[in-house]
Amino acid sequence: MPSELLLHRGLVDATGARHRRVSLRPLGGHEEAALAEAVSLDGGAPDERTVHEVLAACIERLGGYRHVTAEHAAALTRGDRQRLALALRGIMLGDPLVLTLRCSSAACGELADLELHVSSLLGGGATEPDPEPQWWAVETPDGVLHVRAPTGADDEACAGLPGGTAQRAGVLWDRLLDVGDPPAAWADLAPVTQQLLARTLADSGTLPDLLFVSACPACGALLELELDPFQLLARELALGADRLLAEVHCLAFHYGWGEEAILALPRPRRWRYLELLRRQLESRPLT
Ligand SMILES: [Zn+2]
């Protein structure tokens, strides 16, 4: 898997310049453990703050930014963040991805494997995508309104709010609308306007297409799966959490290093030391 990725919107700095090209690096043991821990409690998706920190840790460079913070990662769109998570999954665990779906028919319940490749989920084509608009202008019965794609910061701000899903969606939409004169509030817009705005974002291609449909091999029923890249990555890393602990134990035992120092190593380096150790213990040449 290449460790370079071109984001669709990227980061827009104070001068309006775009920063889209990303160099990724594998996560260190600390972030691996944090991500695994964030989902181990309920098996759901990790919280937004953990995601910001994980993304900041895996971005070596973003356009002109050589030091990417959690705040930079939070300012990226949902779509760009999902692409980053997929690319990270690719460099940590490889390109092939097998998902297992259970048939939803009560009489069947058969398991079906869906074989995917991270590179093709990322678009994989030779052509580079044009930069995504920062704003979409939408003609509506309430006038021309400007709407933008939601970012990690938007999702974080709405995640902790009290109230139901509809209330939280209203707060999110208020953040996404460029307030005109007179200011437009989501709740005051006509239902047809709300639909037009929602459809504009849905059709904009800002999100990668991660909805898969497959036929059950036993009964032919159609199975649907929507992939959440962060949940996937976190679950896969959580499965490896016991192994990570064993690796720390092994390196600490033989080299005498502390847990902190071992967790700070990126996975490929940790594995190289383990391989050297194995050769040493088997009395084989080290190189
Ligand atoms: Zn079935």
Side-chain angles (χ1 to χ4, degrees), residues 50-76:
T50 304
V51 169
H52 304 338
E53 281 160 12
V54 163
L55 289 180
C58 78
I59 299 175
E60 195 165 48
R61 186 172 178 167
L62 169 56
Y65 289 86
R66 285 172 181 276
H67 176 64
V68 174
T69 64
E71 273 53 50
H72 293 139
L76 297 173

Side-chain angles (χ1 to χ4, degrees), residues 9 77 131-139 144-150 176-178 197 200-201 203-207:
R9 197 198 67 171
T77 62
E132 181 180 292
Q134 273 180 270
W135 293 94
W136 284 270
V138 190
E139 276 193 46
V144 176
L145 295 174
H146 292 84
V147 65
R148 63 170 175 83
L176 304 184
L177 284 171
D178 185 20
L197 291 167
T200 299
L201 274 196
D203 293 346
S204 64
T206 179
L207 290 174

Side-chain angles (χ1 to χ4, degrees), residues 7 9-10 46 69 72 82 101 105 110 124 134 153 220 222 226 241 265:
L7 297 180
R9 197 198 67 171
T69 64
H72 293 139
Q82 290 188 354
L101 290 77
S105 156
E110 191 71 23
Q134 273 180 270
L222 286 183
E226 190 164 14
L265 296 171

